[in-house]
Amino acid sequence: MPTVTSADTMTRHEWAAEVRRLARERDAVILAHNYQRPEIQDVADHTGDSLGLSRLASTVEASTIVFCGVHFMAETAKILAPEKTVLLPDPNAGCSLADTITAEDVRAWRSDHPDAVVVAYVNTSAAVKAETDICCTSSNAADVVRSVPEDTEILFLPDQFLGAHVKRITGRDNIHVWMGECHVHAGIDGGTLRERVAEDPDAELYVHPECGCATSALYMVGAGVVPEERVRVLSTGGMLSAAKEAEADKVLIATETGMLHQLRNANPTTAFEPVNSRAECHYMKMITADKLLGTLREGTSEITVDEDTAARARRAVERMVAIGTPSRGGE
Ligand code: 13P
Ligand code: SF4
């Protein structure tokens, strides 16, 4: 039997060369989310945010997509590119936010609001997307909501903090919000943010809208604790675009810590520091160097979405991909 080398016994350089060789052999493109481990981000063909990666999934030419991210992201890629093989190096890489709502929950909620439009964050299962009118990501949520006529009720799911943010910036009061949350971002709460800002009062602040502290950040602006121009609520791709142009000495980052790798590479003259250094998504970190190698060698962990569900979800996902600024952070 041929010897199969594990990533643990290879140098980083040997591992990366083997990953690239296997990807070529398999006609695969490797897409990685901004929260992935640094070595996975570096070896990928493209690293980006949910919207950028979804757009890439629907346009890349390779016959196989190896998605280094979590399950709902690989499912979204499969919905957008049904003819491609989509591989997720660990199929157990889930999402606590996506787990807060089921397709049955959406049907029941809609039956109480029959005239409402259902807007679902991309962090949902394919079955939930199939019950949805239009999906969004954190980078285009406000634009998606604005695409719905002003007098139409909206059921926004499943993230309560993103929902509150969208309500705030669109000024609409006919949005009902599902009370789900991501355990990682909910843990970056107002108290943690206030302590961190007190330690570094001159730093700028980039806050992901899924964070429990998004409201506190804007409250601090309102109370004059932090000047308005120093606080930005951004998707991970938006953070990367902002970092490239940042001139501040220090920026505090309220999101999953994997983001710091991209930001520090993009702008070595600004110090990017986490608001909460323990904000790590263990699902995202389930994609390891060894599992990526294994998937590329064996072609295992294929993600499938049954045809009926995919067909019902596709319209909502395609509308999401079409709305908002061109790909951010997906280059
Ligand atoms: P972005 O769309 O900002 O990349 O956020 C994705 C996400 O929530 C993963 O946790
Ligand atoms: Fe889901 Fe939160 Fe992890 Fe993102 S960080 S994949 S929302 S559990």
Side-chain angles (χ1 to χ4, degrees):
M1 234 168 77
T3 334
V4 177
T5 323
S6 138
D8 302 340
T9 61
M10 296 167 142
T11 65
R12 175 100 164 240
H13 181 76
E14 285 167 346
W15 168 79
E18 181 65 351
V19 165
R20 297 309 323 161
R21 186 188 72 74
L22 289 165
R24 269 193 309 280
E25 199 173 273
R26 196 170 275 287
D27 185 31
V29 64
I30 302 175
L31 304 183
H33 188 264
N34 287 322
Y35 297 160
Q36 288 289 293
R37 295 169 184 271
E39 62 275 23
I40 303 282
Q41 296 191 27
D42 291 346
V43 85
D45 292 284
H46 305 278
T47 299
D49 69 2
S50 309
L51 186 59
L53 295 177
S54 297
R55 285 182 172 143
L56 281 162
S58 60
T59 53
V60 288
E61 282 182 1
S63 58
T64 294
I65 295 172
V66 177
F67 213 115
C68 297
V70 293
H71 196 269
F72 76 80
M73 295 181 174
E75 272 190 337
T76 306
K78 184 67 186 175
I79 291 166
L80 284 165
E83 72 294 351
K84 294 189 197 299
T85 302
V86 178
L87 305 175
L88 176 64
D90 187 332
N92 296 316
C95 170
S96 61
L97 175 57
D99 287 345
T100 63
I101 191 159
T102 64
E104 182 49 39
D105 291 330
V106 185
R107 284 194 291 272
W109 203 20
R110 197 196 270 278
S111 72
D112 292 338
H113 302 269
D115 298 325
V117 165
V118 175
V119 176
Y121 192 30
V122 70
N123 298 39
T124 43
S125 66
V128 165
K129 290 185 175 81
E131 301 293 334
T132 291
D133 296 305
I134 178 161
C135 290
C136 68
T137 74
S138 56
S139 120
N140 69 356
D143 290 329
V144 166
V145 163
R146 287 190 192 104
S147 76
V148 178
E150 283 267 354
D151 54 355
T152 303
E153 260 189 322
I154 291 177
L155 303 182
F156 188 94
L157 62 92
D159 190 74
Q160 57 174 303
F161 300 113
L162 179 62
H165 175 66
V166 165
K167 257 178 124 161
R168 197 164 39 228
I169 54 176
T170 60
R172 283 173 77 138
D173 55 14
N174 58 352
I175 306 180
H176 305 279
V177 178
W178 190 260
M179 294 308 278
E181 63 182 30
C182 146
H183 69 294
V184 180
H185 286 91
I188 311 174
D189 58 14
T192 314
L193 181 73
R194 280 190 294 277
E195 272 172 33
R196 198 63 194 81
V197 167
E199 282 167 26
D200 267 308
D202 295 329
E204 289 190 2
L205 198 54
Y206 297 172
V207 180
H208 195 279
E210 274 180 37
C211 284
C213 67
T215 304
S216 306
L218 298 172
Y219 177 80
M220 285 198 289
V221 168
V225 178
V226 188
E228 188 175 358
E229 62 279 6
R230 277 209 235 129
V231 179
R232 302 183 63 183
V233 180
L234 297 163
S235 71
T236 64
M239 287 184 187
L240 187 57
S241 305
K244 287 178 183 159
E245 285 161 18
E247 288 174 2
D249 291 335
K250 190 179 279 189
V251 182
L252 302 178
I253 303 298
T255 196
E256 207 273 352
T257 52
M259 188 69 225
L260 295 164
H261 180 63
Q262 285 288 315
L263 299 176
R264 288 171 178 160
N265 279 348
N267 181 345
T269 60
T270 293
F272 296 95
E273 290 185 7
V275 167
N276 180 347
S277 57
R278 294 179 311 281
E280 190 169 282
C281 175
H282 70 281
Y283 296 116
M284 284 282 178
K285 279 20 180 202
M286 286 167 90
I287 310 303
T288 60
D290 214 32
K291 287 182 200 164
L292 175 56
L293 209 52
T295 295
L296 282 165
R297 279 181 180 143
E298 319 288 340
T300 44
S301 310
E302 181 171 353
I303 299 302
T304 54
V305 180
D306 80 74
E307 266 175 43
D308 176 54
T309 306
R312 290 193 297 128
R314 191 163 297 122
R315 210 177 62 97
V317 176
E318 283 177 348
R319 290 177 78 185
M320 166 187 95
V321 168
I323 292 177
T325 48
S327 179
R328 282 211 206 121
E331 270 72 47

